[in-house]
Amino acid sequence: MLDFMSRDAAICAKREGRVVGALLFSREPAVLCFLAVDDACRRQHIGERMVACMRTFLDPAKEVTVTTYREGVPEGVAARAFYKRLGFAEGRLTEEFGSPVQEFIWKP
Ligand SMILES: CC(C)(COP(=O)(O)OP(=O)(O)OC[C@H]1O[C@@H](n2cnc3c(N)ncnc32)[C@H](O)[C@@H]1OP(=O)(O)O)[C@@H](O)C(=O)NCCC(=O)NCCS
């Protein structure tokens, strides 16, 4: 987190002084590296607003990728629906830290 903050690549959502969401990204290539919203605050468009904020730091002409859970994993239902809603399309099936995952890609 500190590493991303030092590169101006960390976004947090705060409510009444409490952090309720965080997003980490990289610019080159444009990758959404981490995203989570406090489970008590989900479905209030906090994740969507953090992604919109991230976009203001990225080249709008370049694609953005994110790696998330594969289909069929219960923990991944929200994330997969969320990325699809935001216009990301399903990409390659890969592995990350030894776990099966899937890339999602947003194209301009
Ligand atoms: C994925 C996550 C970040 C979404 O954050 P959020 O603030 O709840 O999402 P938003 O309120 O901005 O959702 C925007 C839209 O995405 C879709 N969506 C989000 N969560 C959904 C869910 N659980 N089921 C179906 N659609 C969902 C909806 O279309 C939603 O709009 P709507 O509520 O008006 O229908 C959040 O669920 C989370 O932190 N999950 C655990 C961590 C995780 O999976 N992170 C991503 C790993 S890469």
Side-chain angles (χ1 to χ4, degrees):
M1 178 69 85
L2 292 176
D3 187 33
F4 281 87
M5 286 170 71
S6 71
R7 287 185 271 123
D8 283 338
I11 293 164
C12 81
K14 279 173 92 179
R15 179 170 284 169
E16 292 162 12
R18 201 169 65 83
V19 173
V20 295
L23 182 157
L24 306 176
F25 66 97
S26 76
R27 290 177 170 77
E28 280 294 335
V31 179
L32 199 172
C33 305
F34 173 86
L35 172 66
V37 172
D38 184 331
D39 52 10
C41 300
R42 291 185 188 161
R43 298 302 288 266
Q44 297 171 38
H45 297 268
I46 293 171
E48 198 172 342
R49 288 172 66 187
M50 288 196 291
V51 171
C53 180
M54 172 191 75
R55 287 189 190 286
T56 68
F57 293 96
L58 300 177
D59 182 343
K62 291 197 175 155
E63 66 180 38
V64 182
T65 61
V66 61
T67 302
T68 193
Y69 301 93
R70 288 192 188 182
E71 191 166 18
V73 181
E75 305 92 295
V77 170
R80 293 177 62 90
F82 174 80
Y83 291 124
K84 286 180 186 172
R85 169 68 180 262
L86 267 60
F88 285 78
E90 293 181 53
R92 289 184 309 142
L93 297 173
T94 59
E95 292 201 352
E96 207 168 73
F97 306 116
S99 299
V101 291
Q102 184 168 20
E103 269 184 3
F104 274 69
I105 304 163
W106 179 88
K107 293 193 187 214

